Amino acid sequence: MKISVDYPRCEGHGLCAEQAPAVFSLDDDAELTYRFEGADVPDEYVAVTRAAVNSCPVAALREQP
Protein backbone atom coordinates (compact mmCIF):
# COMPACT_ATOMS: atom_id res chain seq x y z
CA MET A 1 0.00 0.00 0.00
CA LYS A 2 1.26 3.45 -0.91
CA ILE A 3 -0.15 6.76 0.20
CA SER A 4 0.01 10.06 -1.62
CA VAL A 5 -0.03 13.20 0.50
CA ASP A 6 -1.27 16.54 -0.81
CA TYR A 7 0.85 18.66 1.53
CA PRO A 8 -0.56 22.04 0.40
CA ARG A 9 -4.08 20.77 1.10
CA CYS A 10 -3.22 19.56 4.62
CA GLU A 11 -4.54 21.94 7.29
CA GLY A 12 -2.76 20.29 10.21
CA HIS A 13 -5.84 18.92 12.00
CA GLY A 14 -3.76 15.96 13.18
CA LEU A 15 -6.45 13.31 12.93
CA CYS A 16 -4.14 11.13 10.85
CA ALA A 17 -1.45 11.36 13.51
CA GLU A 18 -3.99 10.33 16.14
CA GLN A 19 -5.11 7.33 14.07
CA ALA A 20 -1.62 6.22 12.97
CA PRO A 21 1.11 7.85 15.07
CA ALA A 22 3.75 5.43 13.74
CA VAL A 23 2.99 6.61 10.21
CA PHE A 24 2.03 10.30 10.45
CA SER A 25 3.05 13.12 12.74
CA LEU A 26 2.86 16.88 12.93
CA ASP A 27 5.92 18.98 13.62
CA ASP A 28 6.03 22.06 15.83
CA ASP A 29 4.57 24.16 12.99
CA ALA A 30 1.69 21.69 12.42
CA GLU A 31 3.31 20.52 9.18
CA LEU A 32 2.59 16.91 8.29
CA THR A 33 5.36 14.35 8.29
CA TYR A 34 4.73 11.05 6.52
CA ARG A 35 7.21 8.39 7.60
CA PHE A 36 6.96 6.17 4.52
CA GLU A 37 7.17 8.79 1.76
CA GLY A 38 7.92 7.03 -1.54
CA ALA A 39 7.72 3.55 0.00
CA ASP A 40 5.10 0.95 0.79
CA VAL A 41 3.46 1.14 4.20
CA PRO A 42 4.55 -1.95 6.16
CA ASP A 43 1.83 -4.58 6.56
CA GLU A 44 1.53 -4.02 10.29
CA TYR A 45 0.48 -0.40 9.70
CA VAL A 46 -1.95 -0.87 6.80
CA ALA A 47 -5.15 -0.93 8.88
CA VAL A 48 -4.32 2.16 10.93
CA THR A 49 -3.07 3.96 7.82
CA ARG A 50 -6.40 3.34 6.07
CA ALA A 51 -8.20 4.66 9.13
CA ALA A 52 -5.99 7.75 9.03
CA VAL A 53 -6.69 8.32 5.33
CA ASN A 54 -10.42 8.05 5.97
CA SER A 55 -10.24 10.44 8.93
CA CYS A 56 -8.70 13.35 7.00
CA PRO A 57 -11.36 16.10 6.85
CA VAL A 58 -9.76 17.79 3.83
CA ALA A 59 -8.87 14.64 1.84
CA ALA A 60 -5.16 15.41 1.83
CA LEU A 61 -4.33 11.69 2.04
CA ARG A 62 -5.09 9.10 -0.62
CA GLU A 63 -4.35 5.45 -1.05
CA GLN A 64 -2.64 4.87 -4.38
CA PRO A 65 -3.92 2.02 -6.56
Side-chain angles (χ1 to χ4, degrees):
M1 154 186 228
K2 286 193 178 186
I3 299 297
S4 63
V5 180
D6 186 345
Y7 290 99
R9 180 174 229 161
C10 178
E11 295 179 353
H13 294 278
L15 299 176
C16 60
E18 289 177 15
Q19 293 288 325
V23 180
F24 301 101
S25 62
L26 296 177
D27 66 15
D28 292 337
D29 296 322
E31 297 292 325
L32 180 64
T33 300
Y34 172 44
R35 181 174 171 197
F36 302 106
E37 188 73 46
D40 287 331
V41 174
D43 291 341
E44 64 265 25
Y45 298 127
V46 167
V48 294
T49 301
R50 279 199 179 110
V53 168
N54 292 330
S55 74
C56 182
V58 296
L61 306 172
R62 293 190 186 189
E63 185 175 348
Q64 295 180 340

